[in-house]
Amino acid sequence: MSGWIFLSGMMGTGKSTVARQLAAQLGVEPVDLDARIAARAGTSIPEIFRAEGEEAFRRLEAEEARALLDEGRPTVVALGGGTVTRDDTRRMLLRHGTLITLSAPAEELARRLAGTTGRPLLESGESAQILADLLEERAAVYAECHAEVRTEGRDPAAVAREVLAVARRRPIVVPLGRRTYRVEIGAGVLATLGSRLQRHVPGAVVLVTDENVHRPWAARAIEHAEEAGRKVVPVVLTPGEAHKTIAAVEAIWDAALDAGVDRRAGVLAVAGGVPGDLAGFAAATLLRGVRFAQVPTSLLAMVDSSVGGKTGFDRPQGKNLVGAFHQPEFVLVDVDTLATLPDEEMSAGLAEVLKAAWLESEEAVAGLERDAAALRAKEPAAVERAIRMAVQLKADVVAEDEREAGTRMVLNLGHTIGHAIEAASDFTIRHGEAVGLGLLAAFRIAAGLGDPDAPLHERRCERLLRAFGLPTDLDRHLDERTLAFVGADKKRAAGKVRFVVPGPPGRVERVPLTPERIRALLG
Ligand SMILES: NC(=O)c1ccc[n+]([C@@H]2O[C@H](COP(=O)([O-])OP(=O)(O)OC[C@H]3O[C@@H](n4cnc5c(N)ncnc54)[C@H](O)[C@@H]3O)[C@@H](O)[C@H]2O)c1
């Protein structure tokens, strides 16, 4: 069994039929959520609708789904057509299993449903029109799924096979309504680039990479894109944070414009976080915005920068001070690409993994402690586990607060001082290395603010940083120049930085602090 599989979609899409097919393939007993609710209530669904109204019915669905999960025996579940319209139910299903939306056009659904009874939402008029209106109304919630699978003109067994393939791949969903996208993680997923481009990017592909990644990864991506019939405009940037400038963005704009691309084009980053952020910004601004996609090739880009839609470039005053939010259409994390990543870059990415684990839970931090040596050695299973943990955390946070109005700021744990250290070193210190030091600084600030356990947490963090091959010599970096950069942090409001103060794993607090106070607390 591949965990829970939930089949959603409009009435008539064949949820129950496909659930039976799938369950037979897997040798499990399928569940029909409506049937369970009716059995428990001792009455029919139309009767519950009539007596108690739609909202009460949705609440029953939520309770029944929760009860089912609590039973703890993963199986295939055919949901009701409107089960996912409740935000809490939908997010719960997304988190606990594979949520698939089966789809078909309204006219086809009306044809399939003709002559059936027991559909309360179809009782008020002409079915095809009601279905078309409902599909439009529910488009954003149906889009929040692991995959939309077409059913029109297809054999249920073929639909079931496609659903199962998604469940086995376990993509991570960043649920943002109609702009929902998926992060596919695994060895060899780069080979699926062509079909993803065919689906998401109708025009030319402006492929941004850097000199270190060009061979073999970007070259391979170009082959896949060309085989899929896409014209490719390659842009090979000079590697390194020192080149994360407007000049690099101009190089991308100009390559695209010289090639005469139109608004059907997409920008694809096949690289680490620096070209990724630059390519995203170029996509956000080129022709007032074209599609964007990412194939991150550094661990840091896989676990952090490729997901969440923040794009931009540095200015002499500080890092990432000019940018835009622009979400990708898809992200392909091919762990095979890490084979050529230098060890120091692997270590730098592990600092962001540690940050994510500290935000996530005690279990996640303990998992890193167990896996530390395997991670440093790029052992595939451990690496994939860590990437999944970090990407899931990021997806959850971004879903809650896409534009960093509040909760998303927690992702800046370790970054206020980290960015300052990085900038003060003229970017000779890697971003991830600086974030590791920034984490230690954050614990020191927590201690200064009176948390008696902070020194303990700091030591735990320090041990992990060492195990990952990262620097821990914080004091050496806390000089005047670094502290001056703390004042330039863009998350300032009314002269104060919203500092992310860590507690035990899974708990952080945002505390407004003036740069002067931060200085004093760092001693
Ligand atoms: N947008 C966001 O939300 C976000 C989040 C975190 C970090 N970032 C940004 O990400 C950047 C850091 O990312 P990074 O560490 O990936 O930087 P990077 O792109 O400079 O990559 C680091 C180095 O690794 C090389 N490299 C990458 N993949 C490789 C591979 N598979 N094989 C061989 N060499 C490879 C690169 O050429 C480079 O020399 C920073 O600019 C930071 O601000 C952005």
Side-chain angles (χ1 to χ4, degrees), residues 210-213 217 239-241 244 271-277 297-301 304-311 314 319-320 337-342 345 348 352 394 408 415 419 422 430-432:
D210 74 21
E211 288 156 5
N212 295 333
V213 185
W217 309 114
E241 187 74 38
K244 193 177 175 184
V274 167
D277 280 10
T297 62
S298 71
L299 180 62
L300 188 142
D304 197 351
S305 65
S306 64
V307 178
K310 276 198 198 175
T311 73
D314 302 337
K319 268 182 61 80
N320 300 330
T337 62
L338 294 174
T340 55
L341 187 72
E345 299 298 345
E352 294 279 10
K394 187 139 191 199
R408 183 164 175 175
H415 281 61
H419 275 168
E422 193 182 357
R430 288 182 179 79
H431 178 76

